[in-house]
Amino acid sequence: MDWKQKLKYKYNTADTLEKLIGLNVLLFILTFVFRTLGFLFKIPTDFFIEWLVFPKDLLEYAYKPWTIITYAFMHSGIFHVLSNMLILYFSGKFFLTYFSGRRMLNLYLLGAICGALVYALSYNLLPAFSGTGRSYLIGASASVMATLVATATQAPNLQVRLFFLGNLKLWWIAAFLVVLDVVQIPLSNPGGHLAHLGGAFIGYLYIVQLKKGNDIGAWLQSTTNWLAELFVPKARKSNMKTVHKTSANKSDKNSSNRSEKQVKIDIILDKISKSGYDSLSKVEKDFLFKAGKDM
């Protein structure tokens, strides 16, 4: 297996979290490459960034509507991308133990949209930002905060070991980062911190509403389906003309059994997300335990 096949296999087996991180890292590398080329050859390369970051000017946004999403995959520096991806990785891993990858993608996009809206409204309505020149929002922080706060809302007492600080409850970490954003608003990057708070708010609201049976990210389903079509390669048709029927029947039967099992697992996980683990019956708990051992 050469490096291309290994890369393709890794992509096909990657979960939603890994693909989100991969896309963020890829765009950061492209940004770095464009900036380096611009510096070496003295050519303008800022167009790549300007067409993907979110502008405060609503007229400029009118002809770049995609930026309300794309800015959340861009970063301005190595520390920026590393800090965001670390928090996204750890909070995302916990999030995926309670919810599906589809809901994580929906929440990531919701965090980006809400963060951008708070940023735009702040810069266009608040007196503190009057007279401000051109300004852009860049970074996944709003989406990351949405994921972190959503996970902390779902499992606030989840213990997280944080380096030399020992075990901390997840909601302590989320609350600390929210307070840190509030404190830093008058000090530096006020628009960015307001966007972070927008993401945190939607993360909290998402879980609160989900527990009531309302999925506020459901309207994004068509968009995420479209994205899934881009991410998931189409299966190739087999060139083999001769098929052993017995083997095919067994394969079809096994595939059908796996599909039924996955459907049942998804139903149980949805029940946990809405009503908690204690709401499961003994039969459902036993089934989930056995399924976990078989995977």
Side-chain angles (χ1 to χ4, degrees):
M1 184 182 290
D2 59 22
W3 67 271
K4 290 182 180 179
Q5 291 175 317
K6 289 181 180 178
L7 189 63
K8 184 178 180 181
Y9 174 78
K10 180 61 179 175
Y11 174 79
N12 289 336
T13 57
D15 60 23
T16 303
L17 173 61
E18 291 167 337
K19 288 179 180 179
L20 285 172
I21 292 175
L23 184 56
N24 274 277
V25 173
L26 176 61
L27 284 174
F28 175 73
I29 293 173
L30 287 176
T31 301
F32 176 79
V33 169
F34 270 89
R35 283 176 171 171
T36 303
L37 291 174
F39 172 77
L40 293 175
F41 295 97
K42 299 297 180 180
I43 56 176
T45 57
D46 289 341
F47 68 90
F48 175 73
I49 299 174
E50 289 183 0
W51 277 86
L52 294 176
V53 295
F54 182 80
K56 79 171 183 68
D57 190 337
L58 297 180
L59 290 178
E60 184 178 351
Y61 169 72
Y63 64 86
K64 295 191 296 184
W66 57 84
T67 56
I68 200 168
I69 296 294
T70 56
Y71 87 89
F73 294 92
M74 305 289 292
H75 290 86
S76 58
I78 187 68
F79 178 75
H80 194 198
V81 68
L82 280 178
S83 59
N84 271 340
M85 293 305 100
L86 279 172
I87 299 174
L88 179 62
Y89 177 79
F90 288 108
S91 60
K93 281 295 183 184
F94 289 128
F95 185 90
L96 288 176
T97 62
Y98 297 99
F99 305 104
S100 66
R102 177 72 65 184
R103 279 184 170 162
M104 182 176 188
L105 182 57
N106 286 347
L107 179 60
Y108 190 96
L109 298 179
L110 277 176
I113 293 169
C114 191
L117 290 177
V118 170
Y119 169 83
L121 290 173
S122 299
Y123 268 84
N124 285 281
L125 298 178
L126 296 179
F129 302 106
S130 60
T132 304
R134 296 181 72 186
S135 179
Y136 297 94
L137 182 62
I138 182 172
S141 299
S143 296
V144 171
M145 286 297 291
T147 305
L148 174 62
V149 171
T151 309
T153 305
Q154 173 66 25
N157 296 317
L158 186 67
Q159 296 287 324
V160 179
R161 186 167 184 81
L162 195 63
F163 304 111
F164 58 89
L165 295 177
N167 292 332
L168 299 175
K169 291 183 179 181
L170 187 59
W171 79 266
W172 294 352
I173 300 173
F176 173 76
L177 292 178
V178 168
V179 171
L180 194 62
D181 275 319
V182 173
V183 171
Q184 291 185 91
I185 288 175
L187 303 178
S188 64
N189 188 25
H193 293 300
L194 286 167
H196 301 175
L197 294 175
F201 169 75
I202 203 67
Y204 171 78
L205 183 65
Y206 183 81
I207 298 301
V208 169
Q209 289 300 310
L210 205 57
K211 289 181 177 180
K212 295 179 180 179
N214 304 319
D215 186 354
I216 60 175
W219 62 275
L220 283 167
Q221 200 68 37
S222 59
T223 304
T224 53
N225 284 337
W226 176 75
L227 287 174
E229 287 295 324
L230 293 180
F231 277 97
V232 181
K234 294 181 179 179
R236 293 181 179 178
K237 292 182 179 180
S238 175
N239 293 323
M240 298 293 290
K241 294 182 179 179
T242 304
V243 180
H244 194 285
K245 292 184 179 180
T246 304
S247 298
N249 290 338
K250 287 182 179 178
S251 176
D252 291 342
K253 185 176 180 181
N254 290 337
S255 177
S256 176
N257 288 338
R258 284 194 296 270
S259 298
E260 291 176 3
K261 183 178 180 180
Q262 187 60 50
V263 169
K264 190 170 182 180
I265 290 173
D266 290 342
I267 292 173
I268 293 174
L269 290 177
D270 281 338
K271 186 175 180 180
I272 293 175
S273 69
K274 293 177 181 178
S275 307
Y277 181 77
D278 292 336
S279 66
L280 299 183
S281 65
K282 185 178 184 304
V283 174
E284 289 171 327
K285 291 178 180 178
D286 291 342
F287 176 82
L288 196 60
F289 178 76
K290 186 177 183 301
K293 291 178 66 178
D294 293 339
M295 293 177 66

